[in-house]
C-alpha cells in the first residue's frame, strides 16, 4: 500500500471540483488526484499512492544522488576492491 | 526504461553501495526498516544476501493491514455482512483473518464487498448507489491519510450522506517510541519509511533520534535507495553519531507536503489506537474529528457483541516489533501459509511473513 509508483503527468483537468491528472506509468495511463501538488504541470514526474499524487519528484535531487554514488564508485576504483 | 525506477535498480550502482558498506562496517549492527514495503524489496532483490554478515535487518511494524486491530477487522466483517450495504476496501484487506472469517468469505456468502484502488472510487460508488450505505475501510499510515481524509471532505462537500468511513489510521513516530522504550529492543538504527515522510517530512523524528540516541535515515524503496539508507545509517553508527538523515531527497523534504498535512489536521485528530498483536499505543492513531462524525462508520453502525479471538499460534506481534523473525514461528510454512493465513503478516504484500514465504531462499 505504501509502494508508490513514479509516473509522468500527461494531462491536468478538474473533476468534482478536484484537480485531477492522467499519469503515465511507463505506458500504463491512470487517473490520479493532484490536489496535494498544486504546482504540478504536464511533463512533471510524481509519485502516486492510492490514487493521489503525493509529491513532485525533484530531478535535481535525483541527479545529485546518482552523482554522489558515481563519485563513490570512482573513489573505490582508486582504492581497489573491498575485502 | 522507466525514469526514476531503472536507475535505482542498476546492478552496478548496487555493487558500488554494497562495497562501500563493506568498507565502512567494522562490527555488528542491528537496524530496522520501518516499512513492510521495504521488507518486501529487501527479500525480493535478495539484498539481505548481499549485505555483510555484520548487518542484521529486523522488520518493522509498517504494514497497515497487519496492525489493523482484530476488533476493527471483526467490526468490518459485521458491517459488511449487513443487508443494503456496499463495503469497499483496499484489496490487501480481504484475506486478513478476523476471529471467524474474512471479507472474502463475507463476499462468498453474498455480501457486497468491493476492492477499490482509491477512496475516490468509493465516493463514486456511493454517488451511483444512493439507496445503499457505502462504507470505505480507511486503513493505513500517514501515506494513505491524505487520500482517505480527502474522501471525507469530498463526501461532506457533496453532502453524500450514504457514505461513511471505518478508520484505522496509525502513525509511525509513536510506534518507534514503543519499540525503542521496550526492554526487549535490539534496534540500533532505523530506516524510516520514505513515503510516510513524503507526506509528513522528517521533523517529527529529530526528538526521537535525540531522546534515544539513535540514527534515523529516511529511505526509499528501490534497491539502490535501500542500500544508500543502510550505508548512511552504518556511517553514523560507526562514528558514534545519531542524527536524522535523508537518503530519499528526490521525494522527501524536511517539512513534507504541507497541503496534505493541512487536510489531515482538518479531518483527523490524534487518538489512542490498538495495534494487532502489539496492543494499545498512546496517541498512535488518527480518528475522525467530531465535525465529520456523521461520516464515521463506527458511529453510524453500532456493532455490538464483538469478541475478538486471535490465533494462539500466531506470533505476528513479536515479528512486527522486530523481536522475532517469521522463520522462528512454529506455524510458519506449516499451518500458516498465504492461502491459509493465521495472521495478517502472512497476507499482506507488506507483511514480513509473506515476504519470507515468497522470496526466502531457505530450505523448505
Amino acid at each position: 500500500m505504501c509502494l508508490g509508483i513514479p509516473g509522468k503527468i500527461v494531462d491536468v483537468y478538474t473533476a468534482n471540483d478536484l484537480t485531477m491528472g492522467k499519469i503515465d506509468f511507463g505506458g500504463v495511463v491512470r487517473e490520479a488526484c493532484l490536489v496535494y501538488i498544486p504546482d504540478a504541470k504536464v511533463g512533471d514526474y510524481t509519485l502516486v499512492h492510492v490514487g493521489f499524487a503525493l509529491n513532485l519528484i525533484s530531478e535535481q535531487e535525483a541527479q545529485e544522488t546518482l552523482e554522489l554514488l558515481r563519485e563513490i564508485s570512482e573513489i573505490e576504483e582508486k582504492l581497489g576492491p573491498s575485502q | 526504461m522507466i525514469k526514476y525506477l531503472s536507475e535505482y535498480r542498476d546492478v552496478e550502482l548496487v555493487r558500488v553501495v554494497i562495497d562501500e558498506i563493506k568498507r565502512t562496517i567494522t562490527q555488528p549492527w542491528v537496524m530496522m526498516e520501518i516499512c513492510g514495503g521495504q521488507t518486501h524489496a529487501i527479500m525480493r532483490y535478495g539484498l539481505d544476501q548481499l549485505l555483510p554478515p555484520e548487518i542484521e535487518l529486523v522488520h518493522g511494524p509498517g504494514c497497515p493491514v497487519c496492525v489493523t486491530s482484530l476488533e476493527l477487522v471483526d467490526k468490518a466483517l459485521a458491517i459488511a455482512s449487513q443487508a443494503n450495504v456496499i463495503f469497499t476496501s483496499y484489496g490487501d484487506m480481504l484475506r486478513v483473518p478476523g476471529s471467524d472469517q474474512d471479507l472474502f468469505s463475507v463476499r462468498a456468502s453474498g455480501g457486497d464487498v468491493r476492492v477499490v484502488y482509491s477512496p475516490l472510487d468509493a465516493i463514486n460508488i456511493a454517488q451511483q448507489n444512493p439507496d445503499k450505505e457505502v462504507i470505505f475501510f480507511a486503513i493505513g499510515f500517514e501515506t494513505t491519510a491524505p487520500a482517505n481524509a480527502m474522501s471525507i471532505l469530498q463526501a461532506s462537500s457533496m453532502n453524500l450522506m450514504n457514505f461513511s468511513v471505518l478508520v484505522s489510521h496509525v502513525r509511525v513516530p509513536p510506534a518507534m517510541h514503543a519499540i525503542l522504550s521496550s526492554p526487549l529492543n535490539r534496534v540500533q538504527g532505523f530506516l524510516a519509511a520514505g513515503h510516510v515522510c513524503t507526506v509528513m517530512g522528517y521533523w517529527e523524528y529529530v526528538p526521537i533520534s535525540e531522546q534515544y540516541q539513535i540514527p534515523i535515515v529516511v529511505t526509499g524503496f528501490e534497491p539502490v535507495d535501500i542500500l544508500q539508507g543502510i550505508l548512511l545509517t552504518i556511517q553514523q553508527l560507526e562514528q558514534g553519531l545519531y542524527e536524522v538523515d535523508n537518503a530519499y531527497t528526490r521525494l522527501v523534504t524536511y517539512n513534507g507536503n504541507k497541503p496534505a498535512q493541512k487536510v489531515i489536521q482538518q479531518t483527523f485528530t490524534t487518538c489512542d489506537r490498538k495495534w494487532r498483536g502489539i496492543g494499545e499505543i498512546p496517541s498512535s492513531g488518527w480518528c475522525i474529528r467530531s465535525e465529520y462524525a456523521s461520516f464515521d462508520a463506527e458511529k453510524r453502525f453500532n456493532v455490538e457483541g464483538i469478541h475478538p479471538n486471535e490465533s494462539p499460534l500466531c506470533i505476528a506481534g513479536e515479528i512486527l516489533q522486530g523481536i522475532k523473525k517469521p522463520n522462528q514461528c512454529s506455524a510458519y510454512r506449516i499451518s500458516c501459509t498465504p492461502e491459509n493465513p493465521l495472521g495478517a503478516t502472512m497476507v499482506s504484500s507488506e507483511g514480513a511473513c509473506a515476504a519470507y514465504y515468497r522470496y526466502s531462499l531457505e530450505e523448505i
Side-chain angles (χ1 to χ4, degrees):
Chain A
M1 188 170 305
C2 283
L3 279 185
I5 306 165
K8 186 180 184 179
I9 300 169
V10 292
D11 193 12
V12 179
Y13 52 92
T14 303
N16 285 331
D17 293 330
L18 291 179
T19 308
M20 304 293 289
K22 295 279 183 203
I23 319 287
D24 182 348
F25 300 101
V28 179
V29 177
R30 292 200 72 159
E31 185 176 56
C33 181
L34 306 183
V35 73
Y36 294 125
I37 47 168
D39 300 331
K41 54 188 187 304
V42 168
D44 288 342
Y45 280 80
T46 184
L47 189 88
V48 175
H49 283 268
V50 295
F52 282 71
L54 289 188
N55 248 345
L56 292 173
I57 300 178
S58 163
E59 170 67 19
Q60 187 188 339
E61 291 289 349
Q63 286 307 325
E64 280 176 19
T65 301
L66 293 172
E67 278 302 312
L68 188 79
L69 295 175
R70 287 186 192 114
E71 275 172 34
I72 293 176
S73 171
E74 282 164 24
I75 294 166
E76 276 185 359
E77 273 173 30
K78 284 175 193 157
L79 290 172
S82 61
Q83 70 277 22
Chain B
M1 251 318 256
I2 300 178
K3 194 169 166 65
Y4 299 119
L5 218 53
S6 316
E7 307 95 299
Y8 300 94
R9 294 179 182 174
D10 182 78
V11 173
E12 181 56 22
L13 278 183
V14 165
R15 189 199 59 77
V16 165
V17 189
I18 292 270
D19 282 354
E20 188 62 17
I21 290 169
K22 287 180 177 168
R23 212 182 290 279
T24 307
I25 200 161
T26 66
Q27 65 179 96
W29 297 107
V30 178
M31 61 185 76
M32 171 182 276
E33 78 277 3
I34 299 277
C35 179
Q38 292 167 330
T39 307
H40 271 253
I42 288 163
M43 301 301 290
R44 178 179 171 193
Y45 294 104
L47 301 181
D48 55 326
Q49 309 289 315
L50 297 172
L51 288 166
E54 292 93 333
I55 296 179
E56 183 185 351
L57 291 169
V58 293
H59 317 307
C63 167
V65 166
C66 306
V67 301
T68 296
S69 75
L70 185 58
E71 287 97 319
L72 213 58
V73 174
D74 284 348
K75 274 187 190 172
L77 293 164
I79 294 170
S81 303
Q82 294 189 8
N84 208 40
V85 150
I86 302 174
F87 193 91
T88 64
S89 169
Y90 298 124
D92 254 14
M93 207 66 211
L94 264 62
R95 209 180 279 280
V96 169
S99 294
D100 303 314
Q101 53 177 350
D102 59 23
L103 284 167
F104 262 125
S105 50
V106 170
R107 184 154 82 179
S109 316
D112 194 345
V113 178
R114 302 187 192 180
V115 171
V116 290
Y117 163 69
S118 160
L120 294 185
D121 297 341
I123 290 277
N124 289 337
I125 292 170
Q127 274 184 296
Q128 290 157 10
N129 296 275
D131 53 336
K132 300 250 181 167
E133 284 287 331
V134 176
I135 300 98
F136 174 66
F137 201 174
I139 68 160
F141 280 85
E142 293 93 327
T143 329
T144 55
N148 295 346
M150 186 54 74
S151 75
I152 295 169
L153 294 190
Q154 273 293 94
S156 176
S157 73
M158 298 161 95
N159 208 19
L160 203 57
M161 297 316 293
N162 65 325
F163 178 80
S164 61
V165 177
L166 185 61
V167 174
S168 170
H169 262 296
V170 278
R171 302 168 54 230
V172 166
M176 289 170 83
H177 275 291
I179 289 164
L180 289 169
S181 58
S182 162
L184 297 172
N185 174 53
R186 299 168 58 229
V187 178
Q188 297 167 296
F190 275 111
L191 306 181
H195 292 158
V196 164
C197 299
T198 302
V199 175
M200 298 306 294
Y202 51 92
W203 52 273
E204 290 178 290
Y205 300 125
V206 174
I208 298 175
S209 172
E210 285 171 0
Q211 181 181 343
Y212 299 97
Q213 306 195 346
I214 189 164
I216 301 173
V217 178
V218 179
T219 303
F221 292 79
E222 296 303 326
V224 171
D225 291 322
I226 290 170
L227 292 171
Q228 199 198 353
I230 292 171
L231 173 61
L232 294 186
T233 309
I234 292 291
Q235 283 174 342
Q236 286 197 47
L237 288 168
E238 289 284 342
Q239 292 176 64
L241 300 174
Y242 48 91
E243 292 168 356
V244 181
D245 206 346
N246 184 5
Y248 202 32
T249 53
R250 68 184 182 279
L251 269 159
V252 174
T253 58
Y254 181 77
N255 289 318
N257 186 322
K258 287 286 183 187
Q261 290 171 33
K262 194 176 160 203
V263 167
I264 292 170
Q265 293 303 327
Q266 187 184 342
T267 317
F268 295 128
T269 182
T270 303
C271 60
D272 298 340
R273 175 76 71 200
K274 271 187 194 162
W275 297 49
R276 190 169 189 171
I278 298 175
E280 185 163 293
I281 303 178
S283 306
S284 66
W286 277 322
C287 299
I288 297 180
R289 279 191 182 277
S290 55
E291 299 94 294
Y292 299 102
S294 54
F295 298 101
D296 189 340
E298 279 197 85
K299 294 198 167 68
R300 187 173 301 189
F301 298 88
N302 194 11
V303 182
E304 300 287 346
I306 300 281
H307 301 291
N309 182 19
E310 192 71 89
S311 159
L313 289 173
C314 181
I315 62 161
E318 288 167 283
I319 288 166
L320 290 163
Q321 295 170 85
I323 298 164
K324 283 191 176 166
K325 301 274 174 64
N327 50 14
Q328 292 174 290
C329 174
S330 62
Y332 173 72
R333 279 190 186 275
I334 299 166
S335 56
C336 184
T337 64
E339 290 73 34
N340 291 297
L342 294 180
T345 44
M346 185 54 101
V347 178
S348 172
S349 59
E350 291 163 323
C353 300
Y356 271 61
Y357 189 93
R358 198 179 299 175
Y359 303 118
S360 183
L361 296 174
E362 68 204 344
E363 294 288 324
I364 301 168

